[in-house]
Amino acid sequence: MKALVISGGGSKGAFAGGIAEHLIKIQKTKYDLFLGSSTGSLLLPHLALNKIEKIKEVYTTIDEKKVFSRNPFRIKRKNNTTQISINYFNTLIQFLLKRKTFGESKNLRKIIEQNFSEREFEELKSNVKELIVCVSNLSRNRVEYKSIKEYNYHDFIDWIWISCNVIPFMTLKEKNNCEYADGGFANIVPIAQAISRGAKEIDAIILETEDMDYKKEMGKNAFSLMMNLYDFMVDQIELHDIREGKLAAKNNNVKLNLYFTPNQLTENSLIFDKHQMLEWWQQGFEYADKKSKEMPSNQIFSRWFNF
């Protein structure tokens, strides 16, 4: 069985979309399993349905207003530069309402439901072997994998949305008497999970550079410093997931194809610039095209015929 795994990465998911478009449309790769965390969980239902143009339209027209119902960031764009600071008014409202997070992402829940219909859900549930999104159960201190086969439409929409909610900047969702958050807190690249479910070849799209070695500008206030600390934590989880995935692949004789970003795309993946995301989608497509030309011809042939 072949699996497509897409890591978390917020707005950088546009780059993953470009890679996936090349893998599916140009290389004609057929997948049995689809696993993702955070932005990966947004992409996968549409990729599994082969509705690539539809999800590309979503990713390249989205902005912060379509994600945040209460945005904790103040964003100023001027002369091709972006300045990010805390939105004191919105965060104050959250405190006054006794909310646990600085912002809310209920608009994202609406966007997911608007663009992934119940009919599409039923079609996918009937035809795909497995589609799984990763979430973090903060109440029980564990990672959970939610399969499309086990839930109804509205529950699965919730799990996709929950998988994307970066705490403490987005909604902390209570469901089934537990509080849930972004799957990236527990497993940002679920390669090992794909192997445990029987995958023998995996294309894993990782929305970071391979060495993750670049200097970051540290925050100038407590809020931006928190963003830096979150990024550091996620990088360490990602490194662990990749190492674990490589080891599992080696021990189980699984072919593992890794796709990293060739350079750092952004320092804040919660900023959604539709023009930039359109560029990232095209860059991802071109990156996959370049990598495919470096691939042995017999490997490309086996992809086309799925063996």
Side-chain angles (χ1 to χ4, degrees), residues 149-160:
K149 301 290 187 180
E150 299 171 357
Y151 296 96
N152 63 33
Y153 172 68
H154 293 288
D155 278 339
F156 197 67
I157 292 290
D158 272 346
W159 293 127
I160 293 173

Side-chain angles (χ1 to χ4, degrees), residues 249-264:
K250 182 178 179 180
N251 290 339
N252 292 275
N253 195 29
V254 172
K255 182 176 178 53
L256 179 59
N257 308 305
L258 299 176
Y259 294 82
F260 294 91
T261 62
N263 55 272
Q264 183 191 17

Side-chain angles (χ1 to χ4, degrees), residues 26-50:
I26 306 302
Q27 298 185 39
K28 308 295 184 184
T29 309
K30 305 292 185 183
Y31 297 105
D32 307 291
L33 309 176
F34 298 84
L35 296 95
S37 187
S38 197
T39 195
S41 68
L42 288 175
L43 285 162
L44 288 175
H46 301 276
L47 297 176
L49 287 167
N50 203 25

Side-chain angles (χ1 to χ4, degrees), residues 138-149:
L138 302 185
S139 298
R140 296 187 178 276
N141 196 33
R142 69 189 185 195
V143 58
E144 295 179 4
Y145 302 97
K146 305 300 184 180
S147 169
I148 194 171
K149 301 290 187 180

Side-chain angles (χ1 to χ4, degrees), residues 78-133:
K78 187 177 181 180
N79 299 327
N80 296 322
T81 61
T82 302
Q83 295 180 336
I84 306 164
S85 59
I86 183 173
N87 188 320
Y88 291 102
F89 180 75
N90 281 351
T91 53
L92 178 60
I93 290 176
Q94 289 291 99
F95 281 117
L96 292 175
L97 292 174
K98 297 182 179 180
R99 301 288 169 77
K100 296 180 180 180
T101 59
F102 296 118
E104 296 284 350
S105 58
K106 293 177 183 177
N107 289 353
L108 178 60
R109 172 65 171 76
K110 296 176 184 177
I111 288 291
I112 296 169
E113 188 166 2
Q114 288 169 5
N115 289 279
F116 182 43
S117 69
E118 190 165 0
R119 182 185 60 79
E120 289 172 322
F121 168 82
E122 294 298 341
E123 178 186 347
L124 190 56
K125 191 173 184 178
S126 299
N127 296 330
V128 74
K129 186 174 183 64
E130 195 73 275
L131 191 149
I132 295 163
V133 301

Side-chain angles (χ1 to χ4, degrees), residues 203-248:
D203 287 332
I205 303 174
I206 300 165
L207 294 169
E208 263 293 354
T209 59
E210 188 166 6
D211 56 13
M212 299 187 192
D213 185 17
Y214 46 81
K215 185 177 181 180
K216 292 186 178 182
E217 183 178 344
M218 298 306 293
K220 297 179 181 179
N221 55 53
F223 192 76
S224 56
L225 180 60
M226 186 184 301
M227 286 295 300
N228 292 133
L229 292 174
Y230 169 79
D231 288 340
F232 177 80
M233 179 196 72
V234 168
D235 285 350
Q236 300 311 305
I237 295 171
E238 199 159 21
L239 284 169
H240 171 269
D241 291 343
I242 294 167
R243 292 191 191 106
E244 182 184 40
K246 286 181 176 179
L247 181 61

